[in-house]
Amino acid sequence: MARKMGVYAVLAFVLYGLFFYWYLFQFADPKLPFEYEGTNADPATFLNGRELSLSEEYSKIRNLLFFLSTPLEWLIYFLILLFGLSKAFKRWAEDSVKHKLLHTPIYLFWLSLFAFIAVLPLSYISYSLSKTYHISTQSFPSWMKDELIDFWLNYATWLIIVPVLYWLMRKSQKRWWLYLWILSVPFTLFMMFIQPVIIDPLYNDFYPLKNKALETKILTLADKAHIPAEHVFEVNMSVETNAMNAYVSGIGSNARIVLWDTTLNKLSDEQILFIMAHEMGHYVEKHIYWGIAGYLLLSLFGLYLTYRLMNWAVARFGKELKISDTKDIRSLPLFYMIISMLLFASSPLSNFVSRYQETRADTYAIEMTKNPDAAITSFQELTRNGLSQVNPPMLVKIFRYTHPPMLDRISKLEEYEVKHRTE
């Protein structure tokens, strides 16, 4: 039975992959709606023929890799359970040391290492793709270093969560999901607080903006928005990518507005001021805090569903999955798989909310700067340097896009420009 379930799972993954290949490469029509042709949102007006071709090629392959990556994780965890690897990891942990306190860290290490190695080829393909299309400038050793940092950070995080999770399961088999959620609230806030000052610097170097004249202009905008900012930070992303970005991270006194140095190198001061006003819009409208609240609410519902689904799966397929009880550490791959599935299923909702917030930030930025030309050209440059699709297929927009497509963003800026030109 286990072998048959494994075959069905692999077959389902293959059929799923073929569907998205057909959808992205055959079905989805990249043609721009005729009413947008010739406008500033039309990529043909600001990209040359080669850039247009590369953008379509790169986006299709990148989108396919996105839709394959998460279900591949589900398949890996499912096969780990079916073929008894989770049971083997537990046995190796128990045979390695006598102290019970060390069994969970050792088991977690083997599970994490196996999953890391299993998904590494797809991660390398994604890295290689970005190198081929000149998005990434990162060397292989640097990329591998980041992958290893990811591995150890994830391992350290789960090393805190997993022992607590299974202790709660043993203490309260019916309410562990609620107690875990309660504990996750301060943990989430703590992680977001330390991210800008401890986690992010593990990957890149951050320092105050070196262009002091530009910093003065940005701080003047911040003062106008009643934001108590003292510094704007830049990060040396040019060693890794040609793409551009700016963002707000952290909460409370550790919140930071960050500019990639690629953005500083490729955009004018007016364009950068629009982007900074956009980030200030997030701060003024407290999008970070709304995002935290939404995440915590979804995680409460998600943990409850995880509890119900784990109990159902063990009761129905416990023998095939080599799990006798949910509170057995061998059920951890099942926990990972269900959590990942629920996150994927909820992404359309979370992305929709994020796109709404980004639209609000765009509106705030253009009202503050009143420079639609700088705003439009900055979005055009972001599209060119990231080889982004201006008008992505519907499923890509729903599952991938945390920002509105550039077609929507540039069109709204054009509407603003026309409206205020006639006033």
Side-chain angles (χ1 to χ4, degrees):
M1 182 63 177
R3 183 176 298 179
K4 186 181 292 186
M5 290 172 66
V7 171
Y8 287 156
V10 172
L11 180 61
F13 178 75
V14 171
L15 292 175
Y16 166 89
L18 289 173
F19 166 78
F20 272 102
Y21 178 85
W22 167 80
Y23 176 77
L24 295 170
F25 286 84
Q26 303 296 328
F27 177 78
D29 185 6
K31 184 175 173 60
L32 206 67
F34 75 92
E35 62 266 28
Y36 295 102
E37 292 180 1
T39 68
N40 285 320
D42 184 353
T45 64
F46 59 90
L47 299 180
N48 60 41
R50 176 171 171 76
E51 289 170 335
L52 281 169
S53 176
L54 289 176
S55 175
E56 285 301 318
E57 289 176 9
Y58 177 67
S59 295
K60 286 177 180 178
I61 301 172
R62 185 180 59 172
N63 290 333
L64 179 61
L65 290 175
F66 165 81
F67 281 110
L68 291 178
S69 60
T70 303
L72 178 62
E73 291 181 9
W74 309 341
L75 179 63
I76 289 167
Y77 288 127
F78 188 62
L79 295 179
I80 285 173
L81 290 168
L82 278 182
F83 295 107
L85 285 173
S86 184
K87 184 179 180 180
F89 296 153
K90 182 181 179 183
R91 187 176 64 250
W92 296 349
E94 292 172 344
D95 292 344
S96 299
V97 292
K98 294 181 180 180
H99 298 290
K100 288 186 177 181
L101 286 177
L102 296 177
H103 290 171
T104 296
I106 295 172
Y107 168 89
L108 184 61
F109 173 79
W110 284 115
L111 177 61
S112 302
L113 182 63
F114 186 92
F116 173 77
I117 293 172
V119 301
L120 191 61
L122 195 63
S123 299
Y124 176 76
I125 291 171
S126 181
Y127 159 73
S128 181
L129 174 72
S130 61
K131 286 281 285 187
T132 300
Y133 284 85
H134 304 291
I135 301 297
S136 174
T137 59
Q138 192 173 22
S139 66
F140 175 78
S142 175
W143 172 79
M144 196 66 225
K145 184 195 79 172
D146 285 351
E147 290 293 305
L148 292 173
I149 291 174
D150 282 344
F151 170 81
W152 286 111
L153 279 177
N154 287 332
Y155 175 76
T157 303
W158 283 109
L159 190 54
I160 297 171
I161 297 171
V162 170
V164 175
L165 167 65
Y166 281 90
W167 180 79
L168 290 173
M169 284 182 173
R170 289 190 295 270
K171 291 295 182 181
S172 178
Q173 202 158 0
K174 291 184 178 181
R175 295 285 183 269
W176 64 262
W177 57 274
L178 178 60
Y179 302 140
L180 183 65
W181 178 81
I182 292 171
L183 291 174
S184 77
V185 174
F187 181 75
T188 299
L189 296 176
F190 174 73
M191 292 299 292
M192 293 199 69
F193 185 78
I194 68 169
Q195 180 183 334
V197 294
I198 295 179
I199 297 176
D200 288 348
L202 293 174
Y203 296 90
N204 301 98
D205 296 326
F206 291 76
Y207 31 81
L209 186 61
K210 289 179 285 189
N211 186 336
K212 295 305 176 184
L214 177 59
E215 185 178 46
T216 299
K217 294 178 183 178
I218 294 172
L219 293 178
T220 300
L221 271 185
D223 183 64
K224 184 179 177 182
H226 307 292
I227 297 173
E230 296 181 1
H231 297 289
V232 177
F233 290 86
E234 62 178 286
V235 55
N236 64 331
M237 290 300 297
S238 57
V239 298
E240 297 182 8
T241 182
N242 284 315
M244 297 184 290
N245 196 16
Y247 61 89
V248 177
S249 66
I251 57 174
S253 60
N254 276 5
R256 285 184 174 182
I257 298 176
V258 179
L259 272 167
W260 288 10
D261 61 347
T262 50
T263 305
L264 291 165
N265 296 335
K266 295 176 181 180
L267 296 184
S268 67
D269 283 6
E270 289 74 19
Q271 292 169 327
I272 291 171
L273 287 174
F274 170 77
I275 290 175
M276 286 289 92
H278 171 98
E279 299 305 328
M280 291 173 193
H282 287 305
Y283 182 94
V284 169
E285 299 207 356
K286 297 179 170 52
H287 289 162
I288 291 177
Y289 298 99
W290 282 110
I292 293 171
Y295 166 78
L296 292 174
L297 183 63
L298 277 178
S299 66
L300 174 61
F301 184 58
L303 283 172
Y304 173 72
L305 284 180
T306 301
Y307 153 74
R308 296 299 298 266
L309 290 170
M310 283 187 73
N311 284 342
W312 172 82
V314 171
R316 178 68 177 82
F317 301 107
K319 182 179 179 182
E320 290 80 7
L321 299 177
K322 317 294 188 296
I323 306 171
S324 57
D325 198 323
T326 55
K327 61 179 178 286
D328 188 327
I329 190 68
R330 289 180 295 176
S331 69
L332 184 59
L334 179 63
F335 176 83
Y336 282 168
M337 184 174 69
I338 292 173
I339 287 288
S340 179
M341 286 178 168
L342 293 176
L343 285 171
F344 187 78
S346 67
S347 61
L349 174 61
S350 58
N351 288 345
F352 174 80
V353 173
S354 177
R355 289 194 298 270
Y356 170 77
Q357 292 181 338
E358 295 297 335
T359 300
R360 294 279 299 177
D362 282 349
T363 301
Y364 180 90
I366 193 61
E367 292 289 349
M368 172 175 273
T369 60
K370 301 188 184 304
N371 191 342
D373 181 65
I376 290 169
T377 53
S378 67
F379 283 159
Q380 290 174 339
E381 286 300 314
L382 286 167
T383 302
R384 174 183 289 108
N385 282 273
L387 292 180
S388 305
Q389 281 180 307
V390 168
N391 186 33
M394 181 57 68
L395 289 179
V396 175
K397 176 182 175 180
I398 290 172
F399 281 93
R400 280 208 71 186
Y401 274 51
T402 57
H403 291 59
M406 286 302 184
L407 178 66
D408 298 341
R409 302 179 82 177
I410 294 176
S411 296
K412 287 185 181 300
L413 292 171
E414 279 194 309
E415 291 173 7
Y416 175 91
E417 185 176 32
V418 171
K419 177 183 176 181
H420 287 267
R421 189 188 302 155
T422 56
E423 288 182 352

